[in-house]
PDB file of all heavy atoms in Angstrom:
ATOM      1  N   GLY A 205      64.184 -57.913  91.138  1.00  0.00           N
ATOM      2  CA  GLY A 205      64.324 -57.854  89.694  1.00  0.00           C
ATOM      3  C   GLY A 205      65.677 -57.590  89.197  1.00  0.00           C
ATOM      4  O   GLY A 205      65.954 -57.591  88.019  1.00  0.00           O
ATOM      5  N   GLN A 206      66.649 -57.392  90.120  1.00  0.00           N
ATOM      6  CA  GLN A 206      68.007 -57.236  89.729  1.00  0.00           C
ATOM      7  C   GLN A 206      68.627 -58.698  89.615  1.00  0.00           C
ATOM      8  O   GLN A 206      68.279 -59.553  90.307  1.00  0.00           O
ATOM      9  CB  GLN A 206      68.843 -56.534  90.794  1.00  0.00           C
ATOM     10  CG  GLN A 206      68.422 -55.120  91.030  1.00  0.00           C
ATOM     11  CD  GLN A 206      68.992 -54.094  90.109  1.00  0.00           C
ATOM     12  OE1 GLN A 206      69.939 -54.450  89.367  1.00  0.00           O
ATOM     13  NE2 GLN A 206      68.505 -52.942  90.119  1.00  0.00           N
ATOM     14  N   LYS A 207      69.634 -58.799  88.803  1.00  0.00           N
ATOM     15  CA  LYS A 207      70.421 -60.054  88.784  1.00  0.00           C
ATOM     16  C   LYS A 207      71.503 -59.914  89.910  1.00  0.00           C
ATOM     17  O   LYS A 207      72.353 -59.089  89.804  1.00  0.00           O
ATOM     18  CB  LYS A 207      71.085 -60.265  87.454  1.00  0.00           C
ATOM     19  CG  LYS A 207      70.243 -61.055  86.531  1.00  0.00           C
ATOM     20  CD  LYS A 207      71.156 -61.815  85.483  1.00  0.00           C
ATOM     21  CE  LYS A 207      70.318 -62.881  84.826  1.00  0.00           C
ATOM     22  NZ  LYS A 207      71.181 -63.605  83.839  1.00  0.00           N
ATOM     23  N   ASN A 208      71.384 -60.675  90.939  1.00  0.00           N
ATOM     24  CA  ASN A 208      72.350 -60.592  92.002  1.00  0.00           C
ATOM     25  C   ASN A 208      73.166 -61.881  92.078  1.00  0.00           C
ATOM     26  O   ASN A 208      72.719 -62.929  91.769  1.00  0.00           O
ATOM     27  CB  ASN A 208      71.648 -60.419  93.409  1.00  0.00           C
ATOM     28  CG  ASN A 208      70.840 -59.141  93.405  1.00  0.00           C
ATOM     29  OD1 ASN A 208      71.319 -58.062  93.043  1.00  0.00           O
ATOM     30  ND2 ASN A 208      69.556 -59.202  93.831  1.00  0.00           N
ATOM     31  N   ARG A 209      74.436 -61.654  92.512  1.00  0.00           N
ATOM     32  CA  ARG A 209      75.373 -62.844  92.678  1.00  0.00           C
ATOM     33  C   ARG A 209      74.864 -63.668  93.922  1.00  0.00           C
ATOM     34  O   ARG A 209      74.721 -64.894  93.766  1.00  0.00           O
ATOM     35  CB  ARG A 209      76.731 -62.316  92.826  1.00  0.00           C
ATOM     36  CG  ARG A 209      77.692 -63.319  93.352  1.00  0.00           C
ATOM     37  CD  ARG A 209      78.999 -62.646  93.667  1.00  0.00           C
ATOM     38  NE  ARG A 209      79.983 -63.494  94.388  1.00  0.00           N
ATOM     39  CZ  ARG A 209      80.978 -62.981  95.130  1.00  0.00           C
ATOM     40  NH1 ARG A 209      81.160 -61.712  95.275  1.00  0.00           N
ATOM     41  NH2 ARG A 209      81.805 -63.815  95.709  1.00  0.00           N
ATOM     42  N   TYR A 210      74.645 -62.977  94.948  1.00  0.00           N
ATOM     43  CA  TYR A 210      74.210 -63.716  96.219  1.00  0.00           C
ATOM     44  C   TYR A 210      72.693 -63.732  96.189  1.00  0.00           C
ATOM     45  O   TYR A 210      72.007 -62.953  95.543  1.00  0.00           O
ATOM     46  CB  TYR A 210      74.558 -62.900  97.442  1.00  0.00           C
ATOM     47  CG  TYR A 210      76.077 -63.034  97.755  1.00  0.00           C
ATOM     48  CD1 TYR A 210      76.944 -61.882  97.634  1.00  0.00           C
ATOM     49  CD2 TYR A 210      76.603 -64.241  98.149  1.00  0.00           C
ATOM     50  CE1 TYR A 210      78.271 -62.012  97.967  1.00  0.00           C
ATOM     51  CE2 TYR A 210      77.973 -64.328  98.484  1.00  0.00           C
ATOM     52  CZ  TYR A 210      78.791 -63.199  98.353  1.00  0.00           C
ATOM     53  OH  TYR A 210      80.122 -63.342  98.656  1.00  0.00           O
ATOM     54  N   SER A 211      72.151 -64.702  96.956  1.00  0.00           N
ATOM     55  CA  SER A 211      70.741 -64.669  97.301  1.00  0.00           C
ATOM     56  C   SER A 211      70.636 -63.778  98.518  1.00  0.00           C
ATOM     57  O   SER A 211      71.544 -63.653  99.345  1.00  0.00           O
ATOM     58  CB  SER A 211      70.271 -66.065  97.670  1.00  0.00           C
ATOM     59  OG  SER A 211      70.378 -66.908  96.480  1.00  0.00           O
ATOM     60  N   TYR A 212      69.430 -63.094  98.660  1.00  0.00           N
ATOM     61  CA  TYR A 212      69.284 -62.184  99.745  1.00  0.00           C
ATOM     62  C   TYR A 212      68.078 -62.614 100.595  1.00  0.00           C
ATOM     63  O   TYR A 212      67.026 -62.925 100.026  1.00  0.00           O
ATOM     64  CB  TYR A 212      69.108 -60.682  99.256  1.00  0.00           C
ATOM     65  CG  TYR A 212      70.425 -60.146  98.763  1.00  0.00           C
ATOM     66  CD1 TYR A 212      70.946 -60.460  97.536  1.00  0.00           C
ATOM     67  CD2 TYR A 212      71.210 -59.415  99.705  1.00  0.00           C
ATOM     68  CE1 TYR A 212      72.170 -60.037  97.133  1.00  0.00           C
ATOM     69  CE2 TYR A 212      72.446 -58.906  99.275  1.00  0.00           C
ATOM     70  CZ  TYR A 212      72.886 -59.247  98.013  1.00  0.00           C
ATOM     71  OH  TYR A 212      74.174 -58.783  97.670  1.00  0.00           O
ATOM     72  N   ARG A 213      68.195 -62.560 101.895  1.00  0.00           N
ATOM     73  CA  ARG A 213      67.126 -62.936 102.779  1.00  0.00           C
ATOM     74  C   ARG A 213      66.871 -61.720 103.677  1.00  0.00           C
ATOM     75  O   ARG A 213      67.739 -61.332 104.502  1.00  0.00           O
ATOM     76  CB  ARG A 213      67.429 -64.145 103.568  1.00  0.00           C
ATOM     77  CG  ARG A 213      66.230 -64.667 104.394  1.00  0.00           C
ATOM     78  CD  ARG A 213      66.590 -65.948 105.200  1.00  0.00           C
ATOM     79  NE  ARG A 213      67.107 -67.049 104.310  1.00  0.00           N
ATOM     80  CZ  ARG A 213      66.250 -67.835 103.605  1.00  0.00           C
ATOM     81  NH1 ARG A 213      64.952 -67.690 103.730  1.00  0.00           N
ATOM     82  NH2 ARG A 213      66.769 -68.813 102.890  1.00  0.00           N
ATOM     83  N   PHE A 214      65.652 -61.111 103.569  1.00  0.00           N
ATOM     84  CA  PHE A 214      65.302 -60.021 104.455  1.00  0.00           C
ATOM     85  C   PHE A 214      64.342 -60.550 105.515  1.00  0.00           C
ATOM     86  O   PHE A 214      63.413 -61.227 105.140  1.00  0.00           O
ATOM     87  CB  PHE A 214      64.621 -58.961 103.541  1.00  0.00           C
ATOM     88  CG  PHE A 214      65.441 -58.255 102.567  1.00  0.00           C
ATOM     89  CD1 PHE A 214      65.709 -58.752 101.364  1.00  0.00           C
ATOM     90  CD2 PHE A 214      66.044 -57.024 102.896  1.00  0.00           C
ATOM     91  CE1 PHE A 214      66.550 -58.086 100.471  1.00  0.00           C
ATOM     92  CE2 PHE A 214      66.925 -56.326 102.048  1.00  0.00           C
ATOM     93  CZ  PHE A 214      67.130 -56.880 100.801  1.00  0.00           C
ATOM     94  N   LEU A 215      64.710 -60.309 106.780  1.00  0.00           N
ATOM     95  CA  LEU A 215      63.799 -60.668 107.850  1.00  0.00           C
ATOM     96  C   LEU A 215      63.247 -59.478 108.611  1.00  0.00           C
ATOM     97  O   LEU A 215      64.061 -58.566 108.945  1.00  0.00           O
ATOM     98  CB  LEU A 215      64.557 -61.501 108.878  1.00  0.00           C
ATOM     99  CG  LEU A 215      65.066 -62.896 108.355  1.00  0.00           C
ATOM    100  CD1 LEU A 215      65.815 -63.646 109.564  1.00  0.00           C
ATOM    101  CD2 LEU A 215      63.916 -63.824 107.920  1.00  0.00           C
TER     102      LEU A 215
END
Side-chain angles (χ1 to χ4, degrees):
Q206 300 273 350
K207 266 204 165 182
N208 299 311
R209 166 187 169 202
Y210 286 112
S211 296
Y212 286 82
R213 188 178 301 279
F214 291 84
L215 293 180

